[in-house]
Amino acid sequence: MAFTHLHVHTEYSLLDGAARIKDVVARAKELGMNSLAITDHGVMFGIIDFYRECKKQGIKPIIGCEVYTAARTMLDKDADKDKYQGHLILLAKNNEGYKNLIKIVSQGFTKGFYYKPRIDKEVLRAHSDGIIALSACLAGNIQRRLMNQDYAGAKSEAEALLEIFGPGNFYLELQDQGLEEEKLIKPNMLKLSKELGIPMVATND
Protein backbone atom coordinates (compact mmCIF):
# COMPACT_ATOMS: atom_id res chain seq x y z
CA MET A 1 0.00 0.00 0.00
CA ALA A 2 1.41 3.38 -1.03
CA PHE A 3 1.74 6.32 1.33
CA THR A 4 -0.52 9.29 0.61
CA HIS A 5 0.44 12.84 1.54
CA LEU A 6 -2.63 14.45 3.16
CA HIS A 7 -0.99 17.73 4.26
CA VAL A 8 0.40 19.48 1.20
CA HIS A 9 1.05 23.18 0.54
CA THR A 10 1.49 24.25 -3.07
CA GLU A 11 2.53 27.55 -4.62
CA TYR A 12 -0.93 28.85 -3.65
CA SER A 13 0.04 28.90 0.03
CA LEU A 14 1.65 32.31 -0.10
CA LEU A 15 4.93 32.68 1.82
CA ASP A 16 4.65 29.04 2.94
CA GLY A 17 4.39 26.62 0.01
CA ALA A 18 7.00 26.28 -2.73
CA ALA A 19 5.74 23.18 -4.53
CA ARG A 20 4.59 23.77 -8.10
CA ILE A 21 1.47 21.71 -8.77
CA LYS A 22 2.83 20.03 -11.91
CA ASP A 23 6.07 19.14 -10.14
CA VAL A 24 4.56 17.83 -6.90
CA VAL A 25 2.12 15.58 -8.78
CA ALA A 26 4.95 14.28 -10.98
CA ARG A 27 7.06 13.58 -7.88
CA ALA A 28 4.20 11.65 -6.26
CA LYS A 29 3.90 9.53 -9.40
CA GLU A 30 7.66 9.01 -9.52
CA LEU A 31 7.58 7.69 -5.93
CA GLY A 32 4.83 5.20 -6.77
CA MET A 33 2.07 7.04 -4.93
CA ASN A 34 -1.44 6.64 -6.34
CA SER A 35 -3.13 9.59 -4.60
CA LEU A 36 -2.26 13.06 -3.31
CA ALA A 37 -4.01 15.84 -1.40
CA ILE A 38 -3.88 19.61 -1.76
CA THR A 39 -4.35 21.57 1.49
CA ASP A 40 -3.32 25.15 0.90
CA HIS A 41 -3.59 27.72 3.69
CA GLY A 42 -7.10 29.18 3.82
CA VAL A 43 -7.66 29.03 0.05
CA MET A 44 -8.78 26.69 -2.71
CA PHE A 45 -7.37 28.68 -5.63
CA GLY A 46 -5.22 25.81 -6.89
CA ILE A 47 -7.71 22.97 -6.84
CA ILE A 48 -8.75 23.08 -10.53
CA ASP A 49 -5.14 23.01 -11.77
CA PHE A 50 -4.36 20.34 -9.18
CA TYR A 51 -7.34 18.17 -10.17
CA ARG A 52 -6.52 18.38 -13.88
CA GLU A 53 -2.83 17.63 -13.35
CA CYS A 54 -3.59 14.64 -11.12
CA LYS A 55 -6.01 13.22 -13.68
CA LYS A 56 -3.45 13.81 -16.43
CA GLN A 57 -0.76 11.92 -14.54
CA GLY A 58 -2.98 9.12 -13.22
CA ILE A 59 -3.01 10.22 -9.58
CA LYS A 60 -6.19 10.31 -7.47
CA PRO A 61 -6.73 13.95 -6.36
CA ILE A 62 -7.88 14.62 -2.79
CA ILE A 63 -9.30 18.12 -2.46
CA GLY A 64 -8.77 19.89 0.83
CA CYS A 65 -7.75 23.04 2.65
CA GLU A 66 -5.86 23.94 5.81
CA VAL A 67 -8.34 26.41 7.24
CA TYR A 68 -7.62 29.05 9.86
CA THR A 69 -9.75 28.74 12.99
CA ALA A 70 -10.77 31.83 14.95
CA ALA A 71 -9.53 32.19 18.52
CA ARG A 72 -13.14 32.83 19.61
CA THR A 73 -15.80 33.18 16.90
CA MET A 74 -15.07 34.32 13.38
CA LEU A 75 -17.13 37.46 13.99
CA ASP A 76 -14.84 38.60 16.84
CA LYS A 77 -12.21 41.09 15.71
CA ASP A 78 -10.25 42.37 18.68
CA ALA A 79 -6.54 42.94 18.03
CA ASP A 80 -5.49 41.57 21.42
CA LYS A 81 -7.69 38.47 21.42
CA ASP A 82 -8.30 37.58 17.77
CA LYS A 83 -5.09 38.30 15.85
CA TYR A 84 -3.81 34.72 16.01
CA GLN A 85 -5.52 31.68 14.53
CA GLY A 86 -5.39 27.93 14.82
CA HIS A 87 -5.08 25.49 11.92
CA LEU A 88 -7.29 22.57 10.86
CA ILE A 89 -7.04 20.30 7.82
CA LEU A 90 -10.31 19.59 5.97
CA LEU A 91 -10.54 16.99 3.20
CA ALA A 92 -13.53 16.36 0.93
CA LYS A 93 -14.39 12.65 0.85
CA ASN A 94 -17.21 13.01 -1.69
CA ASN A 95 -19.06 15.59 -3.78
CA GLU A 96 -21.16 16.75 -0.82
CA GLY A 97 -17.98 17.31 1.16
CA TYR A 98 -16.48 19.28 -1.72
CA LYS A 99 -19.51 21.57 -1.80
CA ASN A 100 -19.37 22.01 1.98
CA LEU A 101 -15.64 22.74 1.83
CA ILE A 102 -16.32 25.51 -0.67
CA LYS A 103 -18.95 26.98 1.68
CA ILE A 104 -16.61 26.83 4.68
CA VAL A 105 -13.68 28.45 2.90
CA SER A 106 -15.90 31.09 1.30
CA GLN A 107 -17.38 32.09 4.66
CA GLY A 108 -13.86 32.46 6.02
CA PHE A 109 -13.38 35.28 3.52
CA THR A 110 -16.84 36.85 3.42
CA LYS A 111 -17.65 36.74 7.14
CA GLY A 112 -14.60 35.77 9.16
CA PHE A 113 -11.70 37.64 7.56
CA TYR A 114 -9.45 39.30 10.12
CA TYR A 115 -5.72 39.13 9.24
CA LYS A 116 -6.61 35.75 7.70
CA PRO A 117 -9.80 34.10 6.37
CA ARG A 118 -11.05 32.45 9.58
CA ILE A 119 -13.83 30.02 10.38
CA ASP A 120 -15.25 28.70 13.66
CA LYS A 121 -17.00 25.62 15.04
CA GLU A 122 -20.43 27.03 14.19
CA VAL A 123 -19.54 27.00 10.50
CA LEU A 124 -18.00 23.54 10.80
CA ARG A 125 -21.15 22.15 12.43
CA ALA A 126 -23.31 23.54 9.65
CA HIS A 127 -21.15 22.11 6.85
CA SER A 128 -19.41 19.01 8.24
CA ASP A 129 -21.12 16.38 6.06
CA GLY A 130 -18.77 14.63 3.66
CA ILE A 131 -15.64 16.08 5.25
CA ILE A 132 -12.73 14.40 6.99
CA ALA A 133 -10.80 16.61 9.42
CA LEU A 134 -7.20 16.27 10.62
CA SER A 135 -5.81 18.09 13.65
CA ALA A 136 -3.13 19.87 11.57
CA CYS A 137 0.41 20.86 12.55
CA LEU A 138 1.86 22.45 15.68
CA ALA A 139 -0.42 25.42 15.00
CA GLY A 140 -3.48 23.21 15.45
CA ASN A 141 -5.53 23.99 18.54
CA ILE A 142 -4.98 20.56 20.08
CA GLN A 143 -1.23 20.64 19.59
CA ARG A 144 -0.96 24.21 20.80
CA ARG A 145 -2.74 23.36 24.03
CA LEU A 146 -0.47 20.37 24.58
CA MET A 147 2.59 22.59 24.10
CA ASN A 148 1.13 24.85 26.80
CA GLN A 149 0.78 21.78 29.06
CA ASP A 150 -3.01 22.04 28.93
CA TYR A 151 -3.99 18.41 28.43
CA ALA A 152 -7.56 19.00 29.60
CA GLY A 153 -7.98 21.80 27.08
CA ALA A 154 -6.52 19.66 24.28
CA LYS A 155 -8.87 16.82 25.19
CA SER A 156 -11.86 19.16 25.19
CA GLU A 157 -10.89 20.46 21.73
CA ALA A 158 -10.48 16.92 20.40
CA GLU A 159 -13.86 15.89 21.82
CA ALA A 160 -15.53 18.90 20.18
CA LEU A 161 -14.06 18.09 16.76
CA LEU A 162 -14.96 14.42 17.13
CA GLU A 163 -18.54 15.44 17.92
CA ILE A 164 -18.69 17.77 14.91
CA PHE A 165 -17.30 15.38 12.29
CA GLY A 166 -18.26 12.05 13.84
CA PRO A 167 -16.32 8.81 14.43
CA GLY A 168 -14.13 7.88 11.47
CA ASN A 169 -14.09 11.44 10.15
CA PHE A 170 -11.63 13.05 12.55
CA TYR A 171 -7.95 12.10 12.91
CA LEU A 172 -5.09 13.28 15.07
CA GLU A 173 -2.04 14.20 12.99
CA LEU A 174 1.33 12.87 14.02
CA GLN A 175 4.28 14.73 12.51
CA ASP A 176 8.04 14.26 12.91
CA GLN A 177 10.07 16.86 11.08
CA GLY A 178 12.83 16.95 13.66
CA LEU A 179 11.20 19.69 15.74
CA GLU A 180 11.61 19.50 19.51
CA GLU A 181 7.98 20.56 20.02
CA GLU A 182 6.75 17.57 18.00
CA LYS A 183 8.69 15.18 20.25
CA LEU A 184 7.40 16.99 23.32
CA ILE A 185 3.70 16.51 22.51
CA LYS A 186 3.90 13.05 20.93
CA PRO A 187 3.21 11.06 24.16
CA ASN A 188 0.08 13.10 24.87
CA MET A 189 -1.10 12.85 21.26
CA LEU A 190 -0.90 9.07 21.61
CA LYS A 191 -2.69 9.30 24.97
CA LEU A 192 -5.50 11.37 23.45
CA SER A 193 -5.88 8.89 20.62
CA LYS A 194 -6.17 5.99 23.05
CA GLU A 195 -8.48 7.74 25.54
CA LEU A 196 -10.94 9.09 22.97
CA GLY A 197 -10.66 6.38 20.34
CA ILE A 198 -9.54 8.87 17.68
CA PRO A 199 -7.35 7.29 14.99
CA MET A 200 -4.03 8.83 14.04
CA VAL A 201 -2.55 9.69 10.65
CA ALA A 202 1.10 10.38 9.85
CA THR A 203 1.62 13.55 7.82
CA ASN A 204 4.39 15.91 6.77
CA ASP A 205 3.85 19.67 6.86
Side-chain angles (χ1 to χ4, degrees), residues 13-54:
S13 288
L14 297 180
L15 303 179
D16 189 74
R20 303 282 184 183
I21 285 175
K22 187 175 182 179
D23 295 339
V24 76
V25 174
R27 181 61 174 156
K29 186 175 180 66
E30 181 185 336
L31 292 171
M33 298 176 180
N34 52 28
S35 55
L36 182 69
I38 181 171
T39 58
D40 284 313
H41 276 301
V43 301
M44 296 174 68
F45 301 146
I47 63 169
I48 300 300
D49 290 343
F50 176 79
Y51 181 87
R52 288 173 176 166
E53 193 60 37
C54 282

Side-chain angles (χ1 to χ4, degrees), residues 76-91:
D76 293 314
K77 298 178 180 180
D78 180 282
D80 292 328
K81 299 176 181 177
D82 302 303
K83 182 177 181 179
Y84 299 103
Q85 316 85 21
H87 293 186
L88 185 69
I89 296 285
L90 302 179
L91 303 169

